[in-house]
Amino acid sequence: MIWNETIECMDREEMRKLQSIRLKRVVEHVYHNTPFYRKKMQEMGITPDDIQSIEDISKLPFTVKQDLRDNYPFGLMAVPMSEIVRLHASSGTTGKPIVVGYTRKDLSIWSEVVARCLTAYGITKNDSVQVSYGYGLFTGGLGAHGGVENIGGTVIPMSSGNTQKQIQLMHDFGAKGLACTPSYALYLAETIHSSGIPLEEFQLRVGAFGAEPWTENMRKELEDKLNIKAYDIYGLTEICGPGVGGECECQNGTHLWEDHFFPEIVDPVTLQPVAPGEQGELVFTTLTKEGMPMIRYRTRDLTHLIYEKCECGRTAVRMGRILGRSDDMMIIRGVNVFPSQVESVLLEMPEFEPHYLIVVDRVNNTDTFQIQVEVRPDYYSDEMNKMIALKKKIAARMQSVIGIQPDIKIVEPRSLERSQGKAKHVIDNRKLV
Ligand code: ADP
Ligand code: K
Ligand code: ZN
């Protein structure tokens, strides 16, 4: 099922034309209404007349998170505040929050793109969806909520937390869809299994998981544990929130809704476009946003784009799995390490739970790299030599995937903290000095 076939399956040539018209319009809009963008364009010696088609996008300046912080709170709005009907903010881990504003039309486009995602997952107006992303300033809850209402489904606005009640209501209300982070879905799955309620009594069939990177192995784990199909939903506050893209039934890349959010991949160092299909940093330009348009916003997310038509019939460009944010990448003893690499090893080994904590420090000028892992209860043993063998096995596997040998610390089953939103997987004590 396709929510907006005209757009989602539009011929690429026609899509380029639409994008060109919209790019010109948004550039005019920000040039006249946002001093920040006008100044940047003037510094580069360009005016809206230099933008005649989507090919000209590379003439435009980039925007980064710091620009939002520098213009906190409302400096990047392109309409008077009387037109802004909603604010959201992303906490971020450092510095001021970043704030975004939506006009009524921006909100309706947001619920349109989320509707495309939900429909691609097979959710219809006959289904109920439990939204277990946090509600509030975080875009997850209200973003998913708007999409479910738009398709006419029944939204169960749970928000995150209160895990026992989540399970109870999911069971009693017969939710068919669950929208939350993959790490919270894992926690919900564990809680269902220990609740004693048989899985067959749940109606759950579809997961809409995102807001943090997750791996193919995590997909398998969640699909098996919950007996569902688990689909990716991608987004970020600066662009609108969840729904910038979503997977289809082929589960073979996340379709990006490029009639509204134009994606580019650039080399994060040179900022030049990479060759088609190559990995790099994802950059978005919002083509239709009124409240707070983003011009060439650098997401820091590392991925690649796939332009071939998908087997589902959609032509909308697809993005490969996000390896991680360039911000999440750690350099340990000179080697680039992503938390997603650790996750994928844990998920391929039946002896371990997918929960983990990476602790990095610097001792005597050398980086230490510890991974705390939980053994599954049926593999946990009092026999020292068994645990040592297990430790050696996982250390060797981690080394072959990551490139350096970690110090593995096996902890008691269920002792690592479970996440109700975006999981925190890394403590890097080196940053404190
Ligand atoms: P914050 O910046 O506070 O984490 P956001 O909700 O705006 O708040 O985070 C957006 C980021 O979350 C994206 O840039 C990306 O790194 C990550 N993200 C969101 N959805 C996905 C997804 N489906 N897969 C991988 N990463 C995702
Ligand atoms: K994140
Ligand atoms: Zn598809």
Side-chain angles (χ1 to χ4, degrees):
M1 261 180 326
I2 299 181
W3 177 255
N4 186 339
E5 199 168 341
T6 318
I7 291 287
E8 294 175 56
C9 304
M10 189 175 259
D11 170 77
R12 287 224 70 80
E13 221 14 71
E14 247 183 278
M15 177 58 71
R16 300 292 282 186
K17 279 187 203 150
L18 180 66
Q19 289 167 334
S20 295
I21 294 167
R22 289 180 170 179
L23 179 66
K24 282 167 68 170
R25 205 182 291 154
V26 74
V27 169
E28 288 275 355
H29 176 50
V30 298
Y31 191 81
H32 294 294
N33 297 302
T34 315
F36 165 81
Y37 285 119
R38 182 166 57 245
K39 187 162 162 265
K40 268 197 167 182
M41 287 175 63
Q42 282 167 344
E43 280 166 9
M44 295 179 85
I46 56 171
T47 69
D49 286 342
D50 292 303
I51 308 302
Q52 290 304 321
S53 83
I54 195 74
E55 320 295 334
D56 295 325
I57 197 161
S58 54
K59 296 179 183 166
L60 292 165
F62 288 99
T63 309
V64 294
K65 211 183 205 71
Q66 189 60 37
D67 293 326
L68 281 87
R69 296 217 166 98
D70 293 345
N71 290 281
Y72 175 87
F74 303 144
L76 294 185
M77 301 292 173
V79 298
M81 288 306 283
S82 56
E83 300 300 309
I84 297 290
V85 298
R86 168 107 59 89
L87 297 174
H88 276 288
S90 129
S91 54
T93 39
T94 48
K96 287 178 191 160
I98 60 121
V99 182
V100 295
Y102 306 72
T103 64
R104 218 175 273 288
K105 186 176 159 216
D106 294 338
L107 286 184
S108 89
I109 288 173
W110 190 10
S111 67
E112 152 77 18
V113 291
V114 178
R116 292 183 196 171
C117 300
L118 296 171
T119 306
Y121 311 151
I123 291 179
T124 70
K125 65 175 186 175
N126 302 316
D127 301 320
S128 57
V129 178
Q130 182 157 325
V131 178
S132 305
Y133 285 112
Y135 278 64
L137 287 173
F138 174 55
T139 54
L142 283 163
H145 185 107
V148 180
E149 282 193 346
N150 190 14
I151 64 172
T154 309
V155 61
I156 307 171
M158 282 300 296
S159 196
S160 60
N162 214 342
T163 304
Q164 292 296 339
K165 192 167 177 192
Q166 299 260 359
I167 302 298
Q168 192 63 50
L169 297 192
M170 185 191 291
H171 172 269
D172 298 350
F173 295 176
K176 175 169 167 185
L178 168 66
C180 63
T181 60
S183 51
Y184 194 39
L186 190 66
Y187 183 22
L188 287 167
E190 280 184 352
T191 312
I192 289 179
H193 286 277
S194 54
S195 74
I197 312 177
L199 197 55
E200 303 76 61
E201 286 186 18
F202 289 81
Q203 308 288 311
L204 204 63
R205 296 288 172 273
V206 171
F209 302 141
E212 61 184 4
W214 54 309
T215 56
E216 271 313 301
N217 288 340
M218 178 70 110
R219 188 209 305 277
K220 277 186 222 107
E221 175 88 7
L222 290 170
E223 291 192 337
D224 290 349
K225 275 198 163 153
L226 288 167
N227 191 24
I228 58 171
K229 281 285 191 188
Y231 296 101
D232 186 49
I233 184 161
Y234 170 81
L236 63 165
T237 312
E238 295 85 339
I239 302 306
C240 73
V244 170
E247 271 181 328
C248 64
E249 66 271 24
C250 304
Q251 294 183 317
N252 190 16
T254 299
H255 287 282
L256 296 176
W257 308 125
E258 54 175 318
D259 54 319
H260 294 299
F261 320 112
F262 183 79
E264 298 172 82
I265 302 281
V266 302
D267 180 311
V269 178
T270 65
L271 299 183
Q272 293 304 309
V274 300
E278 261 179 46
Q279 181 108 352
E281 180 177 340
L282 182 61
V283 170
F284 281 108
T285 299
T286 61
L287 297 177
T288 50
K289 243 171 121 176
E290 298 177 332
M292 204 176 126
M294 281 288 123
I295 303 294
R296 301 192 87 199
Y297 182 73
R298 292 183 57 188
T299 63
R300 302 268 166 194
D301 292 329
L302 301 175
T303 184
H304 66 279
L305 295 179
I306 307 155
Y307 286 96
E308 288 88 56
K309 182 176 173 176
C310 182
E311 277 172 38
C312 69
R314 290 176 184 82
T315 51
V317 63
R318 279 169 290 157
M319 137 182 121
R321 273 218 184 263
I322 295 201
L323 183 57
R325 282 196 209 191
S326 51
D327 309 9
D328 292 340
M329 191 186 81
M330 297 168 281
I331 301 180
I332 305 176
R333 289 176 226 146
V335 173
N336 299 351
V337 178
F338 281 97
S340 56
Q341 295 174 304
V342 171
E343 178 185 294
S344 93
V345 170
L346 288 173
L347 282 158
E348 73 185 33
M349 297 184 65
E351 299 93 335
F352 294 94
E353 297 283 357
H355 301 283
Y356 64 98
L357 183 67
I358 299 172
V359 184
V360 189
D361 208 339
R362 184 163 287 140
V363 178
N364 298 331
N365 290 317
T366 308
D367 293 332
T368 62
F369 175 31
Q370 183 189 66
I371 308 176
Q372 299 183 10
V373 292
E374 277 182 21
V375 177
R376 289 198 203 262
D378 12 337
Y379 288 91
Y380 197 72
S381 162
D382 292 341
E383 288 173 53
M384 209 47 170
N385 56 347
K386 279 198 182 150
M387 297 314 273
I388 291 172
L390 205 51
K391 210 165 132 168
K392 277 199 181 139
K393 185 175 170 194
I394 186 175
R397 183 70 193 130
M398 288 285 180
Q399 164 144 33
S400 80
V401 170
I402 301 169
I404 51 169
Q405 175 124 27
D407 163 28
I408 300 288
K409 182 177 177 193
I410 295 181
V411 301
E412 300 262 311
R414 298 201 151 243
S415 65
L416 291 173
E417 198 189 329
R418 302 310 194 231
S419 155
Q420 305 192 343
K422 298 188 191 225
K424 182 160 170 35
H425 289 303
V426 179
I427 299 178
D428 192 343
N429 292 315
R430 298 175 304 179
K431 287 179 183 149
L432 299 175
V433 270

